[in-house]
């Protein structure tokens, strides 16, 4: 396949249709890992989720719930990465499921995954704006409206996608390194001081305690929520070097690396306070004291100030990563002509940067419209916009993850007998799929509590129905294509890298 240097490459789909390709060899192993970890936003996951888990979920067993989630997600990733060794598709779940369970289920899943990433960006813009306005007021006394920060983040995300994944990668490396460093400084300092006031306590990492507390289901759900986006590694296969090796490695590094970090940091935060004091801090009017108290005591007041600013940059990094994910899903659907007009718009790549620039702009516009709608409805950017959209997107992506596990089962039952394995291609995806369905049940049964003051919101009540509507709509449209535009139906989920294409 000839690729003109400096131009957006093109590749044939094998269906006599030429489509644009993203810029190849633009990102390496560490770059893919950083892009995936950025979607997890470690500092946001820790400071945003752990206090709520401790106060209203499984109490001091919050670190144990991260341990349980890490094991489950690692099992899921075994099947996911087995398929990534054979299929390299920017559409990730969309492509995998299309090959495993067929084009109809693939399109429905692709629409659900696209929808999830589309709403994740405005959700993160909501929490970014909240962190920014609060920190600026607390530390300088200056009041800036939240929507000003929302516009700033929209612009940064749009530019990052326009200039290609390598530009976004460089910015994310800096943002992630700083937020991980400050959290690690707190955790390591507590460990070096021999623990907190009660020394080291191992109750927080006892797996039994993951299923204890006020609402163990809520705590476990928040633990799984903290990983949302790790599977985005597969989206960068087309732009990475040697994707058959890089994507599986990056996925497992993301799952296990983030998991060990979450367990250690949350454990040291609870230990640094002392178990009883940790619950009290998490339940106070300032739940961030769960992290601020040990940081101030064992590192210094300067670190608390830095941590507040890094909560802003951490949510920016997360939102930027989700913007890239959404743009690539929109691009993947567009270049295959799910609607014919899309090939000439969101299915195109930038002639110089090889980026999904049109899809990125569309994602920016959609995010702006959603933020404007929530603003017009008088929703708080955190308790309204962030919480409601994050729950909506998480439900959609968890359903897709479950379907993907079963797609792995079906795919290896019909293909690649040389790669079949009792654990990697059967037991792991089966257990992973059932576990993902269990997490969906946890979400549905606990989403009212998770939504807090928005528990009565129409958006929250409609969340399961919106997910069902998009899924069934995808199934119906795929059947329409099959009958009325069979040539378009034949392309669904089939655009993969030529050099890693199914043989």
């Amino acid at each position: 396949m000839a690729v003109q240097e400096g131009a957006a490459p093109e590749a044939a789909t094998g269906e006599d249709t030429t489509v644009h390709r993203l810029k190849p060899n633009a990102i390496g192993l560490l770059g893919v890992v950083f892009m995936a970890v950025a979607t997890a936003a470690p500092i946001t996951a820790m400071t945003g989720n752990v206090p709520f888990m401790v106060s209203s979920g499984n109490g001091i067993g919050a670190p144990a719930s991260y341990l349980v989630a890490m094991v489950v997600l690692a099992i899921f990733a075994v099947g996911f990465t087995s398929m990534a060794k054979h299929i390299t598709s920017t559409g990730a779940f969309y492509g995998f499921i299309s090959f495993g369970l067929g084009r109809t289920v693939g399109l429905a899943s692709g629409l659900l995954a696209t929808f999830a990433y589309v709403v994740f960006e405005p959700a993160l813009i909501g929490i970014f704006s909240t962190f920014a306005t609060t920190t600026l007021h607390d530390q300088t006394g200056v009041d800036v409206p939240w929507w000003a920060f929302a516009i700033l983040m929209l612009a940064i995300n749009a530019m990052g996608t326009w200039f290609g994944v390598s530009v976004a990668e460089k910015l994310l490396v800096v943002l992630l390194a700083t937020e991980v460093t400050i959290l690690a400084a707190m955790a390591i300092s507590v460990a070096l001081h021999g623990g907190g006031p009660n020394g080291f306590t191992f109750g927080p990492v006892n797996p039994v305690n993951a299923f204890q507390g006020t609402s163990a289901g809520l705590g476990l759900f928040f633990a799984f929520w903290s990983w949302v986006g790790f599977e985005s590694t597969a989206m960068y296969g087309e732009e990475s070097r040697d994707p058959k090796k890089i994507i599986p490695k990056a996925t497992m590094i993301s799952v296990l690396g983030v998991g060990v970090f979450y367990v250690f940091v949350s454990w040291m935060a609870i230990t640094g306070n002392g178990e009883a004091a940790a619950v009290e801090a998490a339940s106070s009017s300032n739940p961030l004291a769960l992290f601020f108290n040990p940081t101030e005591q064992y590192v210094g007041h300067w670190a608390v100030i830095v941590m507040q600013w890094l909560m802003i940059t951490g949510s920016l990094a997360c939102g930027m990563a989700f913007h890239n994910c959404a743009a690539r899903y929109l691009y993947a659907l567009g270049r295959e002509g799910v609607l014919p007009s899309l090939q000439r718009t969101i299915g195109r790549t930038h002639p110089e940067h090889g980026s999904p620039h049109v899809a990125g702009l569309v994602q920016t516009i959609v995010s702006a419209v959603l933020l404007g709608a929530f603003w017009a409805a008088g929703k708080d950017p955190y308790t309204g916009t962030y919480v409601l959209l994050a729950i909506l997107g998480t439900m959609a992506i968890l359903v897709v993850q479950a379907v993907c596990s079963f797609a792995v089962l079906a795919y290896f039952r019909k293909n690649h007998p040389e790669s079949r394995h009792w654990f990697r291609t059967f037991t792991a995806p089966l257990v992973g799929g059932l576990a993902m369905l269990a997490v969906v049940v946890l979400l549905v049964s606990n989403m009212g509590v998770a939504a807090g003051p928005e528990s009565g919101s129409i958006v929250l009540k409609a969340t399961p129905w919106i997910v069902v509507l998009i899924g069934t709509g995808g199934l119906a449209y795929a059947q329409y294509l099959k009958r009325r535009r069979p040539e378009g139906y034949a392309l669904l989920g089939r655009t993969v890298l030529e050099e890693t294409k199914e043989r």
Side-chain angles (χ1 to χ4, degrees):
M1 174 173 55
V3 177
Q4 185 179 356
E5 186 176 356
E10 296 181 348
T13 64
E15 304 287 343
D16 296 325
T17 301
T18 300
V19 296
H20 282 249
R21 259 196 57 191
L22 297 169
K23 186 176 182 180
N25 303 315
I27 188 170
L29 174 62
L30 288 180
V32 176
V33 171
F34 276 118
M35 296 296 285
V37 173
T39 61
I43 198 165
T44 304
M46 291 290 93
T47 59
N49 292 352
V50 175
F52 192 69
M53 293 163 70
V54 172
S55 64
S56 305
N58 32 29
I60 64 162
S65 63
Y66 280 113
L67 190 60
V68 171
M70 178 177 67
V71 172
V72 170
L73 290 171
I75 292 172
F76 165 82
V78 168
F80 184 75
T81 56
S82 295
M83 203 159 184
K85 292 176 182 177
H86 293 279
I87 298 173
T88 300
S89 169
T90 300
F93 286 140
Y94 168 49
F96 288 8
I97 295 171
S98 293
F99 273 100
L101 296 176
R103 295 168 173 83
T104 298
V105 180
L107 179 58
S109 301
L111 292 176
L112 270 177
T114 303
F115 173 77
Y117 287 116
V118 164
V119 300
F120 278 142
E121 183 187 358
L124 266 297
I125 290 176
I127 197 171
F128 164 81
S129 302
T130 300
F131 286 158
T133 53
T134 302
T135 300
L136 199 63
H137 174 78
D138 290 347
Q139 297 191 15
T140 69
V142 176
D143 289 311
V144 176
W146 73 267
W147 52 261
F149 289 106
I151 293 173
L152 174 64
M153 186 167 172
L154 283 169
I156 292 173
N157 289 350
M159 286 191 295
T161 300
W162 184 280
F163 290 107
V165 69
S166 59
V167 174
E169 173 201 355
K170 291 179 176 63
L171 182 56
L172 289 175
V173 166
V174 175
L175 297 178
L176 272 175
T178 51
E179 66 177 276
V180 167
T181 299
I182 197 67
L183 286 171
M186 179 278 293
I188 293 171
S189 295
V190 172
L192 291 178
H193 281 83
N198 304 316
F200 281 109
T201 54
F202 294 91
V205 288
N206 182 346
V208 174
N209 288 330
F211 305 93
Q212 308 293 325
T214 306
S215 176
L218 184 66
L220 285 165
F221 161 66
F222 269 91
F224 280 94
W225 189 358
S226 301
W227 262 276
V228 165
F230 79 89
E231 74 292 335
S232 63
T233 52
M235 296 179 202
Y236 300 102
E238 190 171 308
E239 299 161 273
S240 67
R241 307 178 192 109
D242 198 1
K244 281 187 174 181
K245 293 182 179 179
I246 279 183
I247 300 309
K249 285 182 181 178
T251 305
M252 293 307 297
I253 290 172
S254 300
V255 172
L256 299 177
V258 167
V260 170
F261 185 78
Y262 283 168
V263 171
F264 180 57
V265 171
S266 58
W267 179 24
M268 289 301 102
I270 292 173
T271 297
N273 283 278
E275 291 185 2
V279 176
E280 183 179 342
S283 305
S284 68
S285 58
N286 181 25
L288 290 174
L290 178 66
F291 286 90
F292 290 164
N293 289 345
T295 300
E296 178 143 10
Q297 181 176 351
Y298 298 103
V299 184
H301 181 67
W302 66 268
V304 174
I305 295 174
V306 171
M307 184 177 286
Q308 286 180 294
W309 288 103
L310 292 181
M311 288 165 61
I312 301 173
T313 59
S315 54
L316 171 63
C318 185
M320 182 182 297
F322 278 129
H323 178 86
N324 275 279
C325 292
R328 278 156 181 77
Y329 261 109
L330 288 169
Y331 162 77
L333 291 169
R335 70 176 177 180
E336 290 184 351
V338 173
L339 291 175
S341 60
L342 297 184
Q343 284 184 315
R344 300 186 298 274
T345 52
I346 64 174
R348 298 189 66 83
T349 52
H350 193 280
E352 179 181 354
H353 307 300
S355 62
H357 63 305
V358 179
L361 288 177
V362 169
Q363 169 59 20
T364 298
I365 293 170
V366 172
S367 293
V369 170
L370 285 172
L371 288 167
F374 276 77
W375 171 78
K379 296 295 185 184
D380 180 85
Y382 176 74
T383 60
T385 306
Y386 168 69
V387 171
L388 291 175
L389 289 180
I391 290 174
L392 177 58
T394 300
M395 182 175 291
I397 205 68
L398 286 173
V399 170
V400 176
Q401 285 181 357
V403 175
C404 185
S405 288
F406 299 124
V408 173
L409 277 173
Y411 176 76
F412 282 101
R413 182 172 56 83
K414 297 179 292 186
N415 303 280
H416 299 290
E418 77 284 357
S419 299
R420 291 175 197 161
H421 187 270
W422 70 270
F423 180 72
R424 291 193 301 269
T425 62
F426 179 75
T427 306
L430 177 62
V431 172
L434 293 175
M436 290 299 106
L437 290 177
V439 179
V440 173
V441 173
L442 285 178
L443 171 55
V444 173
S445 58
N446 290 283
M447 65 180 187
V449 179
E454 292 290 342
S455 59
S457 168
I458 295 176
V459 174
L460 184 73
K461 293 177 180 178
T463 288
W465 302 107
I466 293 173
V467 172
V468 170
L469 180 63
I470 294 172
T472 54
L475 294 173
Y477 184 65
Q479 287 301 301
Y480 167 82
L481 287 178
K482 188 175 183 179
R483 291 180 174 84
R484 299 298 180 88
R485 266 202 319 124
E487 71 284 355
Y489 180 80
L491 288 177
L492 295 180
R494 291 308 192 267
T495 302
V496 297
L497 261 183
E498 187 175 280
E499 53 265 44
T500 56
K501 194 170 179 179
E502 290 303 288
R503 296 177 173 86

